């Protein structure tokens, strides 16, 4: 018998051998994110070689987040391989807003009971998110919390660290009236507003797997679990070609809270409602829940996962660069004197 085994601890609800098996199962996922395919996990700290070549004054940028109550959908659908993508996305999409390239990511999974295959599936999603973001998954933590949460449930959070040269930090100081705001489409609800979504659809009692006509035949469950888009690679490509004046990650709080965060005082953005390309899921949420237009745009991304401000004369070039990198961006609005978001 392996000496690292405790009958007493297992009787209390914590199986440390299950933790070891989970680590072994997740190593193949972690290896996908590491240079040379290495998966050096299991120690006490995550190591990352820092290459600052070409930077005069490197600044580290960090971001942390979780998946929120979207995880409830993963429980109900018994599908756990995409919420990790959401977790990575919520962190790396934040730090790219100041121009930082994500370097590495660590996750934290708290669970009622450690089921190694389920934990490995979750980490597989985290690794996929890291691959999409071009960063390394260098470590994490899985903790069993018997008695604190039901055995079949878990929560997931993480953080990312990136780097940007100080002279290239995006700080909105160059923004002027007449600049244009571009929209990068979302994949749907992403990972925000799910407390309202769950209430609107009463997800614990509705048919999540049945095809829905308004969703083009997709089920409500699979539509809501669609992972958050990761914008890192196209935005980094854009930053090399065009002078970007501001970026917002559109998360909880929707347009009204997030867009002004990248716009300086004295300026706002004017957007025509007809120009916003809204996916069908939002219309279904609004009609089912009887939600006002204002509350929809103040809660959800409404089809815009990220907004980017550039000079008007750079807009066509920016759209072309984004298209070449897989983003079908479009002109969303104009920067004007004023304050906040004006939705016409």
């Amino acid at each position: 018998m392996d000496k690292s085994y405790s009958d007493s601890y297992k009787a209390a609800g914590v199986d440390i051998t299950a933790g070891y098996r989970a680590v072994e199962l997740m190593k193949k996922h972690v290896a996908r994110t590491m240079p040379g395919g290495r998966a050096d996990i299991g120690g006490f700290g995550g190591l990352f070689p820092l290459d600052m070549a070409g930077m005069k004054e490197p600044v580290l940028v960090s971001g942390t987040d979780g998946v929120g109550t979207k995880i409830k959908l993963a429980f109900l659908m018994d599908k756990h391989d995409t919420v990790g993508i959401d977790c990575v996305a919520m962190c790396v999409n934040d730090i790219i807003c100041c121009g930082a390239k994500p370097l590495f990511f660590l996750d934290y999974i708290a669970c009622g009971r450690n089921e190694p295959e389920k934990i490995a599936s979750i980490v597989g999603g985290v690794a996929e998110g890291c691959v999409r973001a071009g960063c390394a998954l260098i470590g994490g933590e899985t903790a069993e919390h018997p008695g604190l949460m039901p055995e079949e449930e878990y929560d997931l959070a993480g953080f990312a660290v990136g780097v940007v040269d100080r002279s290239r930090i995006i700080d909105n100081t160059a923004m002027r009236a007449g600049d244009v705001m571009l929209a990068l489409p979302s994949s749907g609800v992403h990972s925000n507003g799910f407390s309202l979504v769950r209430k609107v659809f009463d997800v614990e009692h509705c048919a999540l797997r049945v095809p829905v006509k308004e969703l083009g035949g997709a089920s409500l469950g699979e539509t809501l679990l669609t992972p958050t888009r990761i914008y890192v690679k196209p935005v980094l490509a854009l930053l090399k070609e065009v002078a970007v004046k501001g970026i917002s990650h559109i998360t909880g709080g929707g347009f009204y809270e997030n867009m002004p965060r990248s716009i300086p005082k004295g300026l706002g953005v004017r957007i025509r409602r007809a120009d916003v390309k809204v996916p069908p899921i939002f219309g279904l949420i609004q009609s089912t829940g009887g939600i006002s237009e204002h509350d929809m745009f103040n809660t959800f991304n409404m089809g815009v996962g990220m907004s980017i401000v550039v000079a008007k004369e750079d807009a066509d070039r920016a759209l072309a660069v984004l298209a070449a990198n897989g983003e079908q961006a479009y002109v969303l609005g104009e920067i004007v004197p004023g304050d906040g978001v004006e939705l016409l």
Side-chain angles (χ1 to χ4, degrees):
M1 179 184 293
D2 192 321
K3 289 185 178 180
S4 184
Y5 179 83
S6 171
D7 284 319
S8 299
Y9 208 9
K10 186 174 183 180
V14 177
D15 185 353
I16 56 178
T17 59
Y20 302 149
R21 174 164 167 72
V23 170
E24 288 304 313
L25 290 175
M26 68 179 70
K27 281 184 176 180
K28 65 180 180 180
H29 300 299
V30 175
R32 296 178 57 212
T33 76
M34 301 295 288
R38 293 167 37 249
D40 300 332
I41 59 172
F44 290 96
L47 307 179
F48 187 83
L50 200 54
D51 180 7
M52 297 301 183
M55 292 192 179
K56 293 182 179 179
E57 195 174 355
V59 177
L60 294 178
V61 181
S62 61
T64 186
D65 210 336
V67 185
T69 63
K70 182 174 184 174
I71 280 185
K72 187 71 172 182
L73 271 296
F75 301 159
L76 294 169
M77 294 289 288
D78 193 23
K79 181 175 172 56
H80 310 283
D81 60 345
T82 60
V83 289
I85 300 174
D86 290 297
C87 189
V88 174
M90 297 305 293
C91 298
V92 298
N93 284 347
D94 275 355
I95 67 174
I96 193 65
C97 288
C98 63
K101 171 182 168 52
L103 299 173
F104 59 83
F105 187 86
L106 286 91
D107 60 16
Y108 179 85
I109 305 169
C111 56
R113 180 167 63 89
N114 190 330
E115 300 176 50
E117 288 75 16
K118 181 187 287 187
I119 298 299
S121 182
I122 298 167
V123 174
V126 174
E128 175 60 27
C130 288
V131 169
R132 296 183 187 186
C135 65
L137 176 58
I138 64 170
E141 175 72 10
T142 302
E144 279 188 287
H145 290 166
L148 186 62
M149 59 179 64
E151 285 192 356
E152 70 278 5
E153 294 191 1
Y154 60 86
D155 198 9
L156 171 65
F159 76 93
V161 173
V163 65
V164 60
D165 207 339
R166 184 178 294 276
S167 65
R168 300 186 65 83
I169 293 174
I170 300 168
D171 60 6
N172 78 27
T173 55
M175 201 175 296
R176 301 288 184 269
D179 290 339
V180 298
M181 177 176 284
L182 309 179
L184 275 62
S186 72
S187 58
V189 184
H190 282 184
S191 298
N192 301 103
F194 272 85
S195 294
L196 179 55
V197 168
R198 288 169 45 240
K199 179 182 178 183
V200 165
F201 293 118
D202 189 15
V203 295
E204 286 86 354
H205 304 102
C206 75
L208 289 173
R209 302 178 187 275
V210 175
V212 178
K213 179 180 65 175
E214 293 90 339
L215 301 177
S219 72
L220 181 62
E222 66 180 303
T223 300
L224 292 175
L225 268 185
T226 301
T228 306
R229 293 194 65 168
I230 292 177
Y231 300 102
V232 170
K233 291 180 180 179
V235 171
L236 287 175
L238 179 65
L239 293 175
K240 293 178 181 178
E241 302 288 337
V242 174
V244 172
K245 299 187 177 187
I247 305 177
S248 281
H249 182 200
I250 313 304
T251 56
F255 282 29
Y256 292 109
E257 180 178 326
N258 292 289
M259 289 177 179
R261 294 170 67 179
S262 65
I263 301 174
K265 187 176 181 179
L267 295 177
V269 59
R270 180 178 296 149
I271 299 170
R272 292 196 323 131
R273 170 64 177 82
D275 290 339
V276 186
K277 299 178 181 180
V278 182
I281 182 61
F282 295 107
L284 187 61
I285 293 169
Q286 184 172 11
S287 61
T288 304
I291 303 170
S292 70
E293 183 104 323
H294 176 275
D295 285 358
M296 290 296 295
F297 278 90
N298 205 172
T299 305
F300 302 107
N301 67 63
M302 298 302 286
V304 179
M306 184 162 280
S307 64
I308 297 178
V309 176
V310 298
K312 187 174 184 179
E313 59 269 24
D314 290 334
D316 288 343
R317 175 62 179 157
L319 293 172
V321 172
L322 290 167
N325 287 273
E327 285 297 330
Q328 298 307 308
Y330 60 95
V331 174
L332 180 66
E334 180 185 8
I335 303 300
V336 296
D339 181 54
V341 176
E342 183 183 358
L343 195 61
L344 304 177

